Amino acid sequence: MTANSRRSDTEPPGLETQRREVETLLRGGELRSGDSWYVVERHWFEQWKQFVEHGDQNSSSFPGRIDNSELFEDLDSFHMKERLVENEDFLLLPAEAWNKLLSWYGLVEGHPPLERKVVDLPSTLKVEVYPVEIFLCLHSNMENVTTAQFSRTDNIQSIQKLICRLFSVPPGSECRLWMKSSDSSCERLRNIYVSVLDACLSSGMTVIMETRNADGTWPSSRPQIMRNSVEDQDSYRGQPGVCGLTNLGNTCFMNSALQCLSNTPPLTEYFLLSSYLEELNFSNPLGMKGEIAEAYADVIKQMWSGRHYSVVPRVFKTKVGHFASQFLGYQQHDSQELLSFLLDGLHEDLNRVKNKEYIELRDAEGRPDQEVAEEAWRNHRRRNDSVIVDTFHGLFKSTLVCPECHKVSVTFDPFCYLSVPLPVSKERVMEVFFVSLDPYAKPVQHRVVVPKAGKVSDLCSALSEMTSIPATQMVVADVFNHRFYKIYNADESLSCILDRDDIFVYELSVHEEEQQEEQQQQEEEQQEEEQQQQQQEEQEEEQQQEELQERKEQQQQEEQQEQQQEEQQEEQQEEQQDEEQQQEEEQEEQQGQVLLALYLRERSHYRDYGSGSSSYGTSLFGHPLLLNVQRNSCSREKLYQLFLQRLARYVRPPDPSEELEEEEEEDDEEEELYKTQTNGISEDEDDAEQASQSDDTTEPGPAPPQPSLDHGDEAAANNGTATRSEPPGNTDPTDSNHGNPAAPGDGANSPDQSEPAAERDTTEEEKEEDKQEAACSPSPPANEQPAKRRACHRKKKCLFTIAAVTSNGTTERGGGEGGSAVSFNSQSFVAIDWDPEMKKRFYNENEAEKYVKHSSMEVPQQQSSVQLQECIQLFTTVETLEEENPWYCPVCKKHQLATKKLDLWSLPEVLIIHLKRFSYTKFTREKLDSIVDFPLRDLDFSDCLLKKSLTNGEPPSRYDLIAVSNHYGGLRDGHYTSYACNKDNSRWYYFDDSKVTYAGEDQIMTNAAYVLFYHRQDKIRKPTLPAPSTSPASSTQAANDITSCKDDDDAELGAASSSVTMETD
């Protein structure tokens, strides 16, 4: 017999006393949430009432022991029958009344007492007659299921404790619960402190418990871990914390930040000891319901289990993207931005303050700094109390001064990291190639120093000092893929020129400057005349208006006549101006100059018959040129001679003994069409051209006719290789340069790295459209000029032909036949097309690629270096607020551009310093590659720290470096890695995604350092393990052991877990 089934040894009171006491308890019993009530079978209770009212101790109506047999389905499981009705099948007694009856009469042997709890439902208090019946099991053995009943007011932790007791789970094991419904899908029971009712658990559901594996993984999730082999899964034992992170696709920024935090001792020990489980905040509206903290804990425990070469942080990446949409997908991001989000998310998930109170911030108002600082920190801790605050939060003093009333506002604000600026240089170094007017002079590579915010004219001025060539005679161009990507104006900003661009500066002829000055003078004179005319007209109109106002009623007819006369005068003036403009344009066309861009193209050996045209395909090669040409000297013969002269250094003119004449073959009509023109001009046209030239020498004639273009080359130009063309390939050995000649078309940079890629290279569709357009350009039929073909049996063949092209180097469409001169706009592009055989004989590629290095190139570039203390001092200097972020002055009652100064008051245990390498202004965007000289030990803040107090006899401002996040690359692309010091053996490691290698202290300080982690010396723990051997053999072997990584995607799920979907987590 159980204790509950026995009667008390003491004699029960009299029947009347029993009746009175029980009825009193029944009448006074109130439902209070959490109280216990008991279920009693109604027939037994009615018999007891009859007994105490009419019988005596020996009466036949004695009820005997409390018997609830009629309420059970069977006497084995003692499950209550369904759908029992209160006051018909059973009664509910408060605990005191039940205890009295139990002590007087006892309980039938083997029957359990039917204790039920009062639950506080959303609308009422109610005794829970039917509790929630749940199936319990372990994930490792889901066939062994037991049943238990829980009140809806019980918390999930009580279920967890019961499972641990029933299944003998070792104490201290980290476990988590899953709720499984009938559809076999599972959901995590994250908050073990919520009630069964709030967790939506109902009868018939199953609660599954799993315990964390020794390697830090969970049996329910497929562990995607890099291993050497399947057999090696359980045998590998490495240094805890020396574990890589797999790159999921541009996630190196995340891996770098995680490695730095993983090697922050106080935070990592907090998670390894599972202290976070007691502090998870599921009710914080600013938090992530504990999911970020749990996902981070999983990654840390796997990395510090010592059983993995590399871990795949896929679940963590998914959680971060879920709560911060900017990190969704697989784009590159900033490691410092992720670090800021992660620290804030961990803080809110682990915030010990469940209900944040409103605190009104007060200004210093003349109080001592110590008092104001303590008040600010106390208020901060009243709303923010977590391991993140304990470890990373410090306090700085902010001083604002109004420029008008000189009101001083002092506040103390917390910080999680310091973003310190780098001193920005106001100058930049550019490497350019200068192309002289001297055709026999090789291009010269110069290194010039220009203002970072300067213009193209500043570049020309700096180059002018080196070359003694006036800056006004220079034109700057960006050469890309054998063509001009852009020709810059003198007033354009240098910020649009990247360091990797191939910049060429061309010297122009002298007379262009005079022409420009004359043209400017003419324009200025013309503007002055127009202004005078306008002023006169305005004066006349004012006088007329005054007269019209005075005689408005009397002289209406006269006013109409005057208006008509004025309109006629204006029309005559406009006609005169139009005639003057036409005359000026004709004079400019006859006497002006044009800046000509010259491309070099090579014909293919075979014609492009597949495109529907009989023209030759072409491809660009070599380096383009810029030169000035007089508009009245644009005949093809003169251009041909000018180009020959300009290319004289690497284009050999034919000797008189060399035969360049060739016979016409009348059978091949297409070949005849190509050969009947010399440089795009037939012999008949050549005679006419000579006649026109002789006429031009005597007197100016009318505008030349439309030039005859070389339509034998109107196929779209082949854009050549997809890479950017190298600067002139090799220097002359006599000029102390030893570069190898670069083949035409070879490049150094991919178009993906040029800016912008979409503007630099045309798409494949655009190339096809250009090809189709060029293929459909009109070519003269072979039967239109039979007389000319028969007359021209022999001709003198030139080295190349001339064709007007687009800026991209493709042949222009629509150029008609006839004419001996070429008409150009202010900026025109032409190409000289070479036959492959002629190019091979007369074009010297090696000579064309040679260049000379100026003495400025021999001076080694010194990498700019700056001390970390300088950056911190720059952080604490006085600055004026920007217009976009003014301060509201409480005295002036308006926003002011106040001066602001930040000072460090107190520093945290772990100090994070963010070096602001990415500089963004209204006009420029750049990355600063300066080397920041930061100490690995004894970083002292005593000079810049306002609070001068000691802690345990140690200076509170000395720090040692523990981790560095690195960024390699530029603004739009790059790669993140990290250096970190292991807390157990004090050895430095280099983490590059899944690859981990040993690192020496001399390797840590580079110009890639981006985020620094410092640990205060008085908080540094001594290493628990000896440092590994530093002998060459052992180091090499250990490094090889660390960096060897292989995939193992065949990790098995826990036993019997195939039927349960737990990937919901």
Side-chain angles (χ1 to χ4, degrees):
M1 293 178 62
T2 62
N4 287 332
S5 64
R6 293 196 184 101
R7 292 165 53 179
S8 174
D9 295 336
T10 60
E11 188 70 20
L15 298 181
E16 181 63 25
T17 303
Q18 293 182 25
R19 183 185 64 79
R20 186 172 59 252
E21 289 182 0
V22 172
E23 288 182 352
T24 301
L25 292 173
L26 288 176
R27 286 194 301 269
E30 295 181 0
L31 297 179
R32 290 188 295 269
S33 177
D35 287 354
S36 295
W37 288 60
Y38 288 83
V39 178
V40 177
E41 201 268 329
R42 188 181 68 85
H43 293 292
W44 184 91
F45 189 78
E46 292 294 336
Q47 189 174 356
W48 171 81
K49 287 177 63 177
Q50 184 180 1
F51 170 69
V52 297
E53 290 176 359
H54 305 291
D56 53 28
Q57 296 289 354
N58 299 321
S59 173
S60 59
S61 61
F62 180 70
R65 295 178 180 274
I66 302 174
D67 188 0
N68 289 330
S69 301
E70 296 297 326
L71 301 180
F72 298 126
E73 290 182 352
D74 56 73
L75 298 180
D76 295 329
S77 62
F78 295 105
H79 287 172
M80 282 187 63
K81 294 179 181 178
E82 298 291 338
R83 301 183 183 87
L84 296 178
V85 181
E86 185 179 1
N87 297 326
E88 292 184 8
D89 302 312
F90 64 89
L91 284 87
L92 293 173
L93 304 180
E96 294 183 14
W98 165 263
N99 290 332
K100 289 183 179 295
L101 290 176
L102 183 64
S103 64
W104 297 335
Y105 298 95
L107 186 64
V108 174
E109 185 177 358
H111 285 200
L114 299 180
E115 181 183 7
R116 296 296 184 261
K117 296 286 186 179
V118 179
V119 295
D120 187 4
L121 297 178
S123 58
T124 183
L125 290 172
K126 183 180 181 182
V127 177
E128 188 181 38
V129 177
Y130 289 97
V132 179
E133 189 172 280
I134 302 174
F135 300 101
L136 309 176
C137 66
L138 293 179
H139 180 268
S140 58
N141 186 8
M142 297 178 64
E143 295 179 355
N144 184 15
V145 181
T146 188
T147 305
Q149 292 183 343
F150 298 93
S151 170
R152 289 172 176 80
T153 59
D154 292 339
N155 56 23
I156 303 299
Q157 189 177 30
S158 63
I159 301 177
Q160 179 176 313
K161 291 180 179 179
L162 180 60
I163 297 177
C164 291
R165 186 173 68 252
L166 292 176
F167 295 99
S168 302
V169 177
S173 299
E174 185 178 353
C175 54
R176 62 183 186 181
L177 302 179
W178 295 82
M179 177 178 64
K180 175 179 175 293
S181 58
S182 58
D183 59 355
S184 76
S185 63
C186 292
E187 182 180 350
R188 273 286 309 280
L189 293 172
R190 298 183 180 278
N191 190 355
I192 62 175
Y193 302 104
V194 299
S195 65
V196 172
L197 178 65
D198 294 335
C200 300
L201 274 173
S202 58
S203 297
M205 287 187 173
T206 303
V207 174
I208 306 170
M209 173 186 283
E210 61 172 344
T211 56
R212 190 187 291 273
N213 298 326
D215 63 353
T217 60
W218 293 100
S220 62
S221 58
R222 180 179 295 274
Q224 303 179 21
I225 299 161
M226 309 289 288
R227 301 182 185 273
N228 274 347
S229 63
V230 177
E231 295 79 9
D232 204 36
Q233 290 180 8
D234 298 325
S235 62
Y236 173 74
R237 296 294 183 272
Q239 172 66 42
V242 183
C243 177
L245 292 171
T246 302
N247 193 321
L248 306 175
N250 285 331
T251 58
C252 57
F253 72 97
M254 181 183 74
N255 295 343
S256 176
L258 285 177
Q259 292 288 5
C260 292
L261 285 180
S262 170
N263 287 278
T264 302
L267 184 64
T268 296
E269 291 172 2
Y270 171 84
F271 280 95
L272 292 179
L273 296 175
S274 300
S275 303
Y276 72 98
L277 293 175
E278 301 296 327
E279 297 182 350
L280 286 172
N281 191 334
F282 299 97
S283 60
N284 188 355
L286 301 178
M288 289 79 175
K289 311 302 180 186
E291 295 186 35
I292 287 293
E294 287 186 337
Y296 178 76
D298 289 346
V299 174
I300 293 300
K301 292 195 173 186
Q302 293 178 36
M303 294 174 65
W304 286 86
S305 67
R307 300 185 180 223
H308 306 307
Y309 295 107
S310 180
V311 172
V312 181
R314 193 178 305 278
V315 174
F316 178 81
K317 169 70 171 62
T318 303
K319 294 296 182 185
V320 170
H322 175 71
F323 291 104
S325 59
Q326 66 267 30
F327 297 113
L328 277 174
Y330 298 94
Q331 301 297 320
Q332 183 64 277
H333 295 281
D334 190 295
S335 65
Q336 188 272 332
E337 292 179 1
L338 175 77
L339 187 66
S340 176
F341 162 78
L342 182 56
L343 290 176
D344 184 65
L346 291 176
H347 161 65
E348 297 297 349
D349 273 359
L350 301 171
N351 198 347
R352 304 179 186 107
V353 179
K354 300 300 187 287
N355 297 312
K356 294 185 178 182
E357 56 181 317
Y358 173 75
I359 299 175
E360 185 175 357
L361 300 179
R362 294 176 57 195
D363 196 78
E365 297 177 351
R367 292 180 294 164
D369 286 349
Q370 183 72 26
E371 177 185 347
V372 180
E374 290 178 356
E375 180 186 69
W377 184 250
R378 187 167 53 251
N379 291 338
H380 178 62
R381 294 301 296 261
R382 286 166 63 184
R383 291 174 55 87
N384 303 277
D385 184 14
S386 69
V387 65
I388 303 300
V389 176
D390 300 339
T391 308
F392 298 100
H393 281 206
L395 202 66
F396 60 67
K397 175 184 176 182
S398 174
T399 305
L400 291 167
V401 180
C402 179
E404 289 189 9
C405 66
H406 303 289
K407 158 72 177 175
V408 179
S409 173
V410 176
T411 57
F412 287 81
D413 303 308
F415 67 87
C416 189
Y417 51 86
L418 295 180
S419 290
V420 298
L422 272 63
V424 180
S425 174
K426 295 182 179 180
E427 295 179 337
R428 64 179 289 194
V429 177
M430 297 183 65
E431 294 182 2
V432 299
F433 292 89
F434 178 72
V435 181
S436 173
L437 270 178
D438 184 2
Y440 294 97
K442 300 182 183 68
V444 183
Q445 187 180 20
H446 292 263
R447 182 176 289 158
V448 295
V449 179
V450 295
K452 186 170 291 186
K455 298 182 179 180
V456 174
S457 58
D458 297 320
L459 171 61
C460 297
S461 300
L463 193 59
S464 175
E465 296 179 1
M466 294 184 176
T467 60
S468 300
I469 303 297
T472 54
Q473 291 179 230
M474 297 181 184
V475 174
V476 180
D478 183 359
V479 176
F480 170 69
N481 205 16
H482 314 291
R483 58 175 61 87
F484 290 114
Y485 169 64
K486 185 173 183 180
I487 300 175
Y488 295 97
N489 296 323
D491 57 349
E492 289 192 67
S493 175
L494 288 175
S495 60
C496 57
I497 300 179
L498 304 181
D499 290 336
R500 60 169 173 257
D501 291 343
D502 294 333
I503 301 300
F504 284 74
V505 181
Y506 297 89
E507 180 187 0
L508 299 180
S509 55
V510 180
H511 46 260
E512 184 199 10
E513 180 183 1
E514 300 173 354
Q515 287 275 341
Q516 290 179 351
E517 291 178 354
E518 293 176 0
Q519 187 175 359
Q520 289 179 359
Q521 291 178 0
Q522 292 177 1
E523 291 176 354
E524 291 175 356
E525 293 175 357
Q526 183 178 355
Q527 289 177 359
E528 291 178 356
E529 292 177 358
E530 292 177 354
Q531 290 177 358
Q532 292 177 359
Q533 290 180 359
Q534 290 178 358
Q535 291 176 358
Q536 292 177 1
E537 291 175 357
E538 289 174 357
Q539 292 176 0
E540 292 176 358
E541 288 177 356
E542 290 176 357
Q543 293 176 0
Q544 292 172 0
Q545 288 176 0
E546 292 176 356
E547 294 175 357
L548 289 171
Q549 288 177 359
E550 293 175 355
R551 294 181 274 177
K552 184 176 181 180
E553 297 177 354
Q554 300 176 1
Q555 300 178 351
Q556 293 181 353
Q557 296 179 356
E558 294 179 359
E559 288 175 354
Q560 292 178 358
Q561 293 177 359
E562 288 176 359
Q563 289 177 358
Q564 292 176 359
Q565 291 177 0
E566 288 174 359
E567 291 174 357
Q568 292 176 359
Q569 290 177 0
E570 289 177 355
E571 291 176 358
Q572 292 176 0
Q573 289 178 358
E574 290 176 356
E575 291 176 358
Q576 290 178 0
Q577 290 178 358
D578 293 340
E579 291 176 0
E580 291 175 358
Q581 289 179 358
Q582 291 178 1
Q583 292 177 1
E584 289 175 357
E585 289 175 358
E586 291 175 359
Q587 290 177 1
E588 288 178 358
E589 289 179 358
Q590 294 176 2
Q591 300 177 1
Q593 290 185 335
V594 61
L595 182 62
L596 205 60
L598 178 62
Y599 293 155
L600 283 72
R601 300 193 303 184
E602 180 181 3
R603 297 191 191 94
S604 61
H605 287 277
Y606 303 99
R607 302 193 183 210
D608 191 5
Y609 293 103
S611 63
S613 173
S614 60
S615 57
Y616 286 88
T618 57
S619 60
L620 293 170
F621 70 93
H623 299 284
L625 294 174
L626 281 175
L627 60 161
N628 275 331
V629 178
Q630 293 287 341
R631 291 186 181 272
N632 56 8
S633 300
C634 287
S635 65
R636 293 185 176 274
E637 184 62 30
K638 289 184 178 180
L639 289 179
Y640 180 81
Q641 296 299 330
L642 177 62
F643 295 162
L644 270 181
Q645 179 185 0
R646 195 69 181 85
L647 306 175
R649 181 170 62 87
Y650 44 88
V651 173
R652 179 178 64 85
D655 296 334
S657 60
E658 292 182 282
E659 180 63 44
L660 293 181
E661 294 183 352
E662 57 185 15
E663 294 182 358
E664 296 291 335
E665 298 182 10
E666 297 182 2
D667 296 335
D668 189 350
E669 293 183 355
E670 294 175 349
E671 191 69 12
E672 286 169 352
L673 174 61
Y674 171 70
K675 293 181 178 179
T676 49
Q677 292 184 354
T678 300
N679 196 19
I681 306 170
S682 65
E683 291 186 358
D684 295 345
E685 293 169 347
D686 191 43
D687 296 337
E689 178 186 342
Q690 294 177 0
S692 64
Q693 289 176 2
S694 60
D695 293 338
D696 291 340
T697 57
T698 57
E699 59 182 3
Q706 181 70 21
S708 172
L709 300 181
D710 188 88
H711 288 280
D713 303 319
E714 285 183 2
N718 184 357
N719 287 336
T721 60
T723 59
R724 183 163 185 165
S725 63
E726 189 73 24
N730 62 308
T731 58
D732 194 343
T734 61
D735 295 319
S736 68
N737 185 27
H738 308 288
N740 294 326
D746 292 347
N749 298 327
S750 171
D752 297 337
Q753 300 175 354
S754 59
E755 179 189 324
E759 296 177 4
R760 290 257 174 171
D761 288 332
T762 57
T763 61
E764 293 298 326
E765 291 80 5
E766 291 173 345
K767 292 178 182 177
E768 288 299 323
E769 291 177 2
D770 291 341
K771 290 180 180 179
Q772 294 297 331
E773 290 175 0
C776 297
S777 59
S779 298
N783 57 1
E784 286 189 1
Q785 298 177 342
K788 286 186 180 180
R789 235 183 5 254
R790 285 193 296 269
C792 300
H793 295 288
R794 284 186 175 273
K795 72 177 183 63
K796 184 178 179 181
K797 185 176 181 181
C798 294
L799 298 182
F800 50 79
T801 58
I802 303 174
V805 295
T806 63
S807 60
N808 201 37
T810 57
T811 305
E812 286 187 343
R813 298 176 55 191
E817 289 285 336
S820 60
V822 183
S823 176
F824 296 114
N825 298 323
S826 60
Q827 174 63 67
S828 295
F829 297 84
V830 296
I832 56 175
D833 295 338
W834 290 79
D835 183 78
E837 295 181 0
M838 301 293 285
K839 177 175 175 287
K840 185 177 180 180
R841 290 174 59 186
F842 298 100
Y843 184 86
N844 189 339
E845 291 188 8
N846 290 335
E847 181 65 27
E849 296 296 327
K850 289 181 180 179
Y851 68 99
V852 179
K853 284 191 175 182
H854 188 261
S855 59
S856 60
M857 297 295 298
E858 304 298 331
V859 179
Q861 273 189 285
Q862 295 182 354
Q863 182 101 31
S864 57
S865 177
V866 61
Q867 298 291 326
L868 179 60
Q869 292 287 3
E870 296 180 33
C871 300
I872 297 173
Q873 291 175 2
L874 194 61
F875 172 78
T876 58
T877 55
V878 179
E879 62 178 358
T880 303
L881 297 179
E882 298 179 351
E883 295 181 358
E884 295 82 5
N885 187 28
W887 170 66
Y888 183 80
C889 177
V891 177
C892 300
K893 303 298 182 182
K894 63 179 180 179
H895 289 89
Q896 298 282 7
L897 298 181
T899 58
K900 181 178 181 180
K901 187 179 189 302
L902 296 177
D903 293 293
L904 299 176
W905 177 260
S906 63
L907 298 178
E909 177 181 349
V910 176
L911 177 62
I912 302 176
I913 301 178
H914 166 224
L915 304 177
K916 299 172 69 173
R917 291 194 175 274
F918 298 100
S919 174
Y920 299 97
T921 66
K922 294 180 180 179
F923 308 103
T924 61
R925 298 170 66 247
E926 62 176 337
K927 182 193 174 186
L928 306 176
D929 289 324
S930 304
I931 293 180
V932 178
D933 188 358
F934 52 88
L936 272 64
R937 296 178 183 85
D938 297 325
L939 174 62
D940 193 0
F941 283 89
S942 57
D943 294 337
C944 52
L945 192 65
L946 293 183
K947 185 179 179 181
K948 308 291 184 182
S949 62
L950 300 179
T951 304
N952 298 329
E954 293 289 334
S957 56
R958 288 189 178 273
Y959 287 80
D960 289 349
L961 187 72
I962 57 174
V964 180
S965 176
N966 303 310
H967 177 266
Y968 301 91
L971 289 171
R972 290 167 298 278
D973 51 16
H975 182 60
Y976 287 92
T977 63
S978 57
Y979 290 103
C981 181
N982 187 275
K983 68 181 182 65
D984 292 339
N985 62 10
S986 296
R987 184 67 188 265
W988 282 90
Y989 295 91
Y990 179 65
F991 298 90
D992 186 358
D993 289 334
S994 58
K995 182 180 179 182
V996 185
T997 54
Y998 290 128
E1001 292 186 354
D1002 57 340
Q1003 301 173 345
I1004 297 172
M1005 189 178 68
T1006 66
N1007 64 343
Y1010 185 44
V1011 183
L1012 310 177
F1013 285 70
Y1014 279 94
H1015 199 181
R1016 203 167 65 206
Q1017 288 182 349
D1018 61 322
K1019 295 291 186 178
I1020 295 178
R1021 287 82 164 170
K1022 293 183 178 180
T1024 58
L1025 298 175
S1029 174
T1030 57
S1031 62
S1034 62
S1035 296
T1036 304
Q1037 180 64 31
N1040 291 337
D1041 290 343
I1042 293 174
T1043 57
S1044 57
C1045 302
K1046 292 184 180 180
D1047 291 329
D1048 172 32
D1049 294 331
D1050 301 327
E1052 297 180 357
L1053 290 172
S1057 63
S1058 59
S1059 61
V1060 181
T1061 306
M1062 289 192 172
E1063 297 300 332
T1064 309
D1065 186 39

